[in-house]
């Protein structure tokens, strides 16, 4: 759960990259225009840009809260949009981001920013817990769509979580006040240098938690001491911006330099290159959230240590008079080297900054390498390809693979559209193939096989299923098969015929409580007449849930059958755990039995399954030789063209009567 939560936070902040870049560009344009005297605070354009930039910064907590709520809920298997709405609502109301003041609602990002991560995290995790703990309402919701039932089931947990914040928000506020009091520097008892150092530690700690450290500190705590001289001739703010935060929080110029020297590192190098235009003007958001720095234990130590080292080195150098400085007013977004040159009035300050950048790169480099090894699989692929002497072939095929992948996506989309068009133009039908008991030589059931009747009247097999499965669009077919099988059993019942019918459904049906309840309700009038056939690989995703649903079907006298055994994962340990007694052997196993090795394998599989007390159905029996082969192995039931191809329901009763009369 811990790793999934951290993954959700990472995805949440990475998804905000367009916002970070846009906000950085807005501030860059505004500050650049003022720096080069293109506009002044009296210009109309200044007010437009300033108001826009202020609004962007003011909405920052909203985007953070919404993104966190969405990704936590999504990654825990619940509705992302519901999680996002709940997170935004709880943050806006309980975090007092929107406050009522003087008969109007106002945004209050000053006090709400620290809660932009805390409240969405709590609300999303509480929603997940409540969803798991609430009773199942599936018996009341099975007649509505899965999408609607999912949303209806969130109503009670959604409301419970929202109102629960009224109970524990006072505790959060109290804890926040205690933390703020503990972090607030004692202005009277400390030097400007120590106050500046404390501020640096606090702001970097906040950045590591994903909170805009400098803005949050300035909103909650006093920064008046930054205007005072830290050393003769230079204020604390100028010293801090110029010689501590060389290219922004964490001295990211050094980190970029270190990343560029990494070999075989795609992620770190690409992020570094992407951030260069912004880091040059001291914007740090891209590296903080995309590398990422925040909540990354590997990068915590250098992120905190580098500015501390810069502070100590610069303080000693300036206090010893090795670099002369002048207290000039310089913008925080002045690029490194240039700012050092201006503050020192010569190359001394620029040289000091360059040394700090190199020193920072040396410190960051081993941690970036460690980070790269931990999260990047590219290095492993390159090592393997070098070992196998296929490096050049693999690299040269990269672009070809990408183009091929894009073509596959385009083809798949066209394929799906064509399939849906074919189904809409035609008519789906169920045909029935008999299953013959080899002990009593009687028909003991029929498998319902899907057919599509085209507009010209011709019948084709379910060629469209692969495309629907690939795009996860089988729900409508599954429901149609279920409903048509129920209608066909009703048709047989009216004619005094009570056959056992097997239907094939997508494996995901077995983990869908709503559909399982729907099936149980649909076939209540036909006890012991329905079997559900699902390929065995579908049972591997959630064994406990599958077992509960199989048992639920069994209580309604519905049998579950493993279909196409031998083509999927075929986990024998899974078969031992599942409460399933009937196994259907895939036709491909029998076809391979024409060879000696294939026959031996088929024999071993049958013997093993019989030892597990499984009832077997041999599928695809088409010749007398195959029939004699499976009979010799004492396979209980046979299905295939040897007896009969699939028939429309109107011919089933007649066929059954003739078959029984021929055997009597």
């Amino acid at each position: 759960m811990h790793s999934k939560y951290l993954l959700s936070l990472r995805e949440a902040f990475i998804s905000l990259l367009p916002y970070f870049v846009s906000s950085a560009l807005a501030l860059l344009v505004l500050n650049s225009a003022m720096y080069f005297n293109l506009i002044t605070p009296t210009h109309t354009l200044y007010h437009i840009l300033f108001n826009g930039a202020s609004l962007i910064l003011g909405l920052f907590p909203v985007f953070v809260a919404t993104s966190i709520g969405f990704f936590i809920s999504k990654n825990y298997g619940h509705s992302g949009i519901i999680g996002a709405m709940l997170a935004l609502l709880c943050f806006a109301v309980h975090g007092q981001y929107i406050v009522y003041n003087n008969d109007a609602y106002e945004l209050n990002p000053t006090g709400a920013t620290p809660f932009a991560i805390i409240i969405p995290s709590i609300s999303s995790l509480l929603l997940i817990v409540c969803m798991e703990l609430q009773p199942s309402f599936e018996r009341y919701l099975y007649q509505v769509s899965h999408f609607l039932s999912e949303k209806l089931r969130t109503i009670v947990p959604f409301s419970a979580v929202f109102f629960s914040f009224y109970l524990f928000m006072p505790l959060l506020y109290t804890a926040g006040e205690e933390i703020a009091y503990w972090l607030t520097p004692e202005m009277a008892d400390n030097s400007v240098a120590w106050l500046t150092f404390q501020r640096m530690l606090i702001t970097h700690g906040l950045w590591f938690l994903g909170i805009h450290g400098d803005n949050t500190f300035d909103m909650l705590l006093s920064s008046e001491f930054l205007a005072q001289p830290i050393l003769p001739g230079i204020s604390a703010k100028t010293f801090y911006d110029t010689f501590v935060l060389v290219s922004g929080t964490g001295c990211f110029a050094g980190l970029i330099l270190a990343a560029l020297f990494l070999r075989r590192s795609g992620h770190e190098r690409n992020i570094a290159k992407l951030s260069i235009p912004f880091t040059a003007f001291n914007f740090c958001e891209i590296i903080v959230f995309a590398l990422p720095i925040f909540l990354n234990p590997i990068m915590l130590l250098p992120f905190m240590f580098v500015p501390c080292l810069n502070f100590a080195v610069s303080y000693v150098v300036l206090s010893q008079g090795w670099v002369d400085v002048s207290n000039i007013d310089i913008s925080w977004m002045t690029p490194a080297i240039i700012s050092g040159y201006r503050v020192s009035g010569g190359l001394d300050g620029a040289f000091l900054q360059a040394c700090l950048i190199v020193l920072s790169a040396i410190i960051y480099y081993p941690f970036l390498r460690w980070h790269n090894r931990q999260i990047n699989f590219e290095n492993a692929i390159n090592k393997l390809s070098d070992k196998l002497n296929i490096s050049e072939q693999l690299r040269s095929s990269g672009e070809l693979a990408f183009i091929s992948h894009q073509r596959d996506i385009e083809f798949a989309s066209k394929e799906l559209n064509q399939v849906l068009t074919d189904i809409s133009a035609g008519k789906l039908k169920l045909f029935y193939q008999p299953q013959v008991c080899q002990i009593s030589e009687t028909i003991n059931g029929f498998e319902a096989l899907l057919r599509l009747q085209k507009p010209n009247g011709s019948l084709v097999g379910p060629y469209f299923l692969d495309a629907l499965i690939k795009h996860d669009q089988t729900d409508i077919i599954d429901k149609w098969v279920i409903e048509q099988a129920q209608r066909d059993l009703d048709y047989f019942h009216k004619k005094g015929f009570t056959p056992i019918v097997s239907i094939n459904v997508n494996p995901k049906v077995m983990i869908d409580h709503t559909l399982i309840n729907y099936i149980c309700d649909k076939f209540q009038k036909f006890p012991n007449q329905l079997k559900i056939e699902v390929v065995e690989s579908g049972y591997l995703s959630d064994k406990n849930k599958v077992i509960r649903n199989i048992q639920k079907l069994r209580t309604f006298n519905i049998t579950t059958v493993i279909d196409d055994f031998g083509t999927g994962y075929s986990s024998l340990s899974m078969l031992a755990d599942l409460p399933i007694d009937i196994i259907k052997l895939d036709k491909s196993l029998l076809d391979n039995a024409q060879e000696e090795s294939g026959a031996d394998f088929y024999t071993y599989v049958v013997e093993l399954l019989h030892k597990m007390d499984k009832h077997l159905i041999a599928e695809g029996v088409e010749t007398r030789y195959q029939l004699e082969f499976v009979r010799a192995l004492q396979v209980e039931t046979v299905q295939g063209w040897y007896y009969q191809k699939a028939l429309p329901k109107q011919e089933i009763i007649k066929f059954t009567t003739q078959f029984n009369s021929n055997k009597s």
Side-chain angles (χ1 to χ4, degrees):
M1 177 172 286
H2 174 69
S3 59
K4 191 177 292 187
Y5 170 71
L6 293 181
L7 172 65
S8 301
L9 289 184
R10 174 182 172 132
E11 290 182 346
F13 280 99
I14 288 178
S15 69
L16 292 174
L17 272 179
Y19 167 81
F20 294 136
V21 173
S22 299
S23 60
L25 284 174
L27 291 173
L28 182 60
V29 169
L30 178 62
N31 284 280
S32 298
M34 293 185 63
Y35 180 79
F36 292 105
N37 294 320
L38 298 178
I39 59 173
T40 65
T42 59
H43 287 142
T44 303
L45 182 59
Y46 170 84
H47 290 288
I48 294 174
L49 292 175
F50 179 80
N51 291 337
S54 299
L55 183 59
I56 289 174
L57 290 176
L59 291 176
F60 172 75
V62 172
F63 294 121
V64 171
T66 305
S67 187
I68 289 175
F70 177 86
F71 282 99
I72 291 179
S73 296
K74 177 184 75 70
N75 287 335
Y76 280 90
H78 296 279
S79 171
I81 190 63
I82 295 293
M85 286 192 296
L86 178 61
L88 181 58
L89 182 64
C90 291
F91 169 70
V93 176
H94 299 295
Q96 297 188 358
Y97 174 76
I98 299 177
V99 295
Y100 190 72
N101 186 27
N102 296 327
D103 297 328
Y105 287 101
E106 298 178 353
L107 300 184
N108 178 39
T110 302
T113 299
F115 291 111
I117 295 178
I118 298 172
I119 289 180
S121 297
I122 294 175
S123 67
S124 301
L125 294 175
L126 279 179
L127 179 65
I128 293 165
V129 171
C130 291
M131 289 288 291
E132 296 296 330
L133 293 179
Q134 75 168 343
S136 173
F137 298 105
E138 292 166 0
R139 68 177 62 182
Y140 306 108
L141 301 175
Y142 68 88
Q143 291 183 328
V144 302
S145 69
H146 178 72
F147 178 82
L148 178 58
S149 67
E150 179 189 34
K151 303 305 177 287
L152 292 174
R153 290 195 308 113
T154 62
I155 292 177
V156 173
F158 188 101
S159 303
V161 172
F162 174 76
F163 288 108
S164 69
F165 271 87
Y166 284 106
L167 300 177
F168 54 78
M169 274 309 297
L171 298 177
L172 287 180
Y173 278 116
T174 301
E177 291 174 356
E178 289 296 323
I179 294 173
Y181 175 78
W182 179 72
L183 292 177
T184 303
E186 293 292 337
M187 303 291 291
D189 301 332
N190 294 292
S191 65
V192 173
W194 179 241
L195 292 173
T196 306
F197 188 82
Q198 284 183 288
R199 181 184 184 276
M200 178 190 69
L201 294 178
I202 295 171
T203 56
H204 278 69
L206 292 173
W207 275 113
F208 182 77
L209 296 175
I211 302 171
H212 196 297
D214 297 273
N215 286 352
T216 303
F217 187 97
D218 294 341
M219 289 174 182
L220 301 179
L221 307 172
S222 174
S223 295
E224 295 177 357
F225 57 85
L226 291 177
Q228 301 175 19
I230 190 172
L231 288 168
I234 186 170
S235 68
K237 184 179 187 308
T238 302
F239 170 83
Y240 186 70
D241 290 344
T242 307
F243 298 110
V244 177
L245 303 185
V246 185
S247 294
T249 298
C251 189
F252 285 152
L255 186 147
I256 291 175
L257 182 61
L260 295 179
F261 276 93
L262 283 175
R263 294 187 303 168
R264 297 176 179 175
S265 169
H267 176 75
E268 291 82 359
R269 185 190 293 265
N270 291 336
I271 294 299
K273 290 179 179 179
L274 176 66
S275 67
I276 287 176
F278 302 97
T279 304
F281 294 96
N282 304 324
F283 291 97
C284 64
E285 285 86 351
I286 292 180
I287 289 182
V288 167
F289 297 116
L291 185 66
I293 294 293
F294 95 101
L295 294 178
N296 187 341
I298 295 176
M299 300 305 297
L300 173 60
L301 182 59
F303 180 64
M304 299 297 293
F305 179 71
V306 165
C308 293
L309 183 64
N310 286 355
F311 193 107
V313 171
S314 300
Y315 191 86
V316 171
V317 169
L318 297 187
S319 64
Q320 293 297 320
W322 296 337
V323 173
D324 294 327
V325 291
S326 57
N327 191 26
I328 64 172
D329 186 15
I330 188 170
S331 172
W332 63 270
M333 58 174 293
T334 303
I337 307 301
I338 295 176
S339 61
Y341 180 86
R342 292 192 61 199
V343 169
S344 65
L347 295 178
D348 291 349
F351 180 74
L352 174 59
Q353 284 186 321
C355 292
L356 293 173
I357 291 173
V358 172
L359 188 61
S360 302
I362 294 173
I363 296 171
Y364 270 118
Y365 183 79
F367 291 94
L368 280 178
R369 286 189 62 191
W370 184 15
H371 180 264
N372 174 255
R373 291 173 181 172
Q374 291 294 317
I375 71 167
N376 214 328
F377 61 83
E378 180 183 355
N379 189 45
I381 293 177
N382 286 331
K383 284 184 177 179
L384 178 60
S385 62
D386 288 341
K387 184 177 180 180
L388 299 177
N389 297 317
I390 59 171
S391 301
E392 293 305 319
Q393 298 94 314
L394 183 61
R395 290 161 188 157
S396 63
S397 66
E399 185 64 19
L400 180 62
F402 174 78
I403 295 173
S404 176
H405 178 64
Q406 294 300 108
R407 289 176 179 171
D408 288 344
I409 293 175
E410 181 181 359
F411 175 77
S413 179
K414 292 180 180 179
E415 180 186 34
L416 178 63
N417 289 334
Q418 184 61 50
V419 161
L420 295 176
T421 301
D422 291 349
I423 296 174
S424 299
K427 185 177 182 181
L428 291 174
K429 290 179 174 292
L430 286 183
F431 276 47
Y432 292 89
Q433 187 174 38
Q435 297 172 337
V436 180
C437 176
Q438 298 303 294
I439 300 174
S440 62
E441 295 190 351
T442 59
I443 297 173
N444 61 3
F446 295 86
E447 180 183 3
L449 300 174
L450 196 59
R451 297 289 184 265
L452 177 64
Q453 185 178 39
K454 292 192 171 184
N456 61 7
S458 62
L459 286 169
V460 294
Y463 67 91
F464 46 81
L465 286 180
D466 288 341
L468 294 178
I469 292 172
K470 184 191 303 181
H471 294 271
D472 196 24
Q473 298 293 326
T474 59
D475 290 2
I476 189 170
I477 300 296
D478 288 333
K479 291 180 181 177
W480 183 88
V481 169
I482 293 167
E483 293 179 359
Q484 185 61 42
Q486 186 264 338
R487 288 191 290 266
D488 288 350
L489 283 178
D490 191 54
Y491 165 84
F492 293 135
H493 179 73
K494 291 177 181 178
K495 294 183 177 294
F497 185 49
T498 57
I500 298 174
V501 170
S502 300
I503 61 174
N504 295 274
V505 295
N506 190 279
K508 67 180 183 179
V509 170
M510 299 307 297
I511 58 174
D512 190 327
H513 291 310
T514 302
L515 271 178
I516 293 298
N517 286 334
Y518 179 69
I519 292 172
C520 293
D521 180 72
K522 273 286 183 182
F523 293 89
Q524 283 190 79
K525 296 192 303 180
F526 308 104
N528 298 309
Q529 284 188 252
L530 181 69
K531 295 178 181 178
I532 305 291
E533 295 189 7
V534 189
V535 292
E536 91 279 3
S537 58
Y539 294 114
L540 302 178
S541 57
D542 192 333
K543 183 178 70 174
N544 292 331
K545 189 178 292 185
V546 169
I547 290 175
R548 289 196 298 270
N549 285 332
I550 291 174
Q551 292 171 340
K552 175 70 177 291
L553 290 170
R554 181 175 288 181
T555 61
F556 281 80
N557 300 302
I558 297 173
T559 303
T560 305
V561 178
I562 292 183
D563 191 19
D564 295 343
F565 183 83
T567 61
Y569 191 89
S570 302
S571 171
L572 296 177
S573 62
M574 179 68 73
L575 295 183
D577 294 335
L578 292 175
I580 292 179
D581 300 322
I582 304 176
I583 309 295
K584 198 171 188 181
L585 301 174
D586 188 68
K587 179 180 183 295
S588 62
L589 294 179
L590 188 58
D591 291 340
N592 293 333
Q594 295 180 16
E595 303 292 335
E596 182 178 356
S597 60
D600 290 341
F601 181 75
Y602 199 95
T603 301
Y604 295 148
V605 169
V606 170
E607 290 177 352
L608 178 60
L609 293 176
H610 274 154
K611 288 180 180 180
M612 298 174 69
D613 294 325
K614 304 299 182 183
H615 180 101
L616 303 184
I617 301 175
E619 189 179 32
V621 176
E622 299 177 354
T623 66
R624 184 69 188 182
Y625 170 79
Q626 290 178 328
L627 178 64
E628 295 298 335
F629 175 72
V630 297
R631 277 182 173 177
L633 296 176
Q634 298 182 343
V635 174
E636 294 86 348
T637 303
V638 167
Q639 176 183 340
W641 287 4
Y642 178 83
Y643 286 108
Q644 181 60 52
K645 295 181 179 180
L647 297 170
K649 67 180 179 182
Q650 295 83 358
E651 300 180 20
I652 290 297
I653 298 177
K654 179 181 178 182
F655 171 81
T656 303
T657 302
Q658 292 177 347
F659 185 90
N660 291 335
S661 63
N662 291 337
K663 295 298 180 181
S664 60

